[in-house]
Amino acid sequence: MTSCFALAIDDDDACELHLFNADAERDSFLWDYAFEHSGTEADTLAEFKAEHDDDVSEAMAACHCGWHTDDMVQEVPTEPVAAARAAVEALAYARDCLKAASAARAADKVRLALSSAKGAVRHAENKAVR
């Protein structure tokens, strides 16, 4: 099982989206972001954390920006054919997103990976039949 944490921050100047593999990584980013953007008089991050009783939500509120985080858990299939098919779906989605973003070279690289993943599906299917 793979955990992924998505964080969206919307302030007056820009909207940001960040993905993290661990909640500690996400929280570290939030503390740094809040420390930089809150206008605090604290000299260090430790002082800033103490000001907010180690509550990152309270610290982010001091930034006066909208933010939201979601924990997304995606199960990786344990069965080989299902796992290979999931990879094909993910790569096809990535290819489509890259095409929409006008990232032709990256989309071409993903297209090659997609071709390889389709071969992995055929291999897994043939192996399952044996």
Side-chain angles (χ1 to χ4, degrees), residues 60-105:
M60 284 299 290
C63 295
H64 306 290
C65 65
W67 68 285
H68 179 76
T69 185
D70 277 326
D71 300 345
M72 302 179 297
V73 177
Q74 189 172 28
E75 292 282 334
V76 174
T78 56
E79 195 270 315
V81 174
R85 287 180 180 155
V88 167
E89 288 178 25
L91 287 166
Y93 178 74
R95 178 203 58 209
D96 294 344
C97 289
L98 290 167
K99 283 175 28 182
S102 298
R105 284 195 289 189

Side-chain angles (χ1 to χ4, degrees), residues 1-88:
M1 181 171 6
T2 302
S3 294
C4 181
F5 303 93
L7 167 68
I9 299 174
D10 184 16
D11 63 23
D12 293 337
D13 299 324
C15 182
E16 302 176 27
L17 176 65
H18 302 274
L19 298 175
F20 304 97
N21 291 324
D23 55 356
E25 181 185 4
R26 177 200 56 206
D27 289 349
S28 176
F29 176 87
L30 286 171
W31 278 114
D32 291 341
Y33 185 93
F35 184 59
E36 283 181 35
H37 294 88
S38 68
T40 183
E41 293 184 18
D43 292 326
T44 66
L45 182 58
E47 290 176 10
F48 181 68
K49 285 182 176 183
E51 276 181 12
H52 297 283
D53 298 321
D54 284 327
D55 183 350
V56 73
S57 296
E58 182 182 310
M60 284 299 290
C63 295
H64 306 290
C65 65
W67 68 285
H68 179 76
T69 185
D70 277 326
D71 300 345
M72 302 179 297
V73 177
Q74 189 172 28
E75 292 282 334
V76 174
T78 56
E79 195 270 315
V81 174
R85 287 180 180 155
V88 167

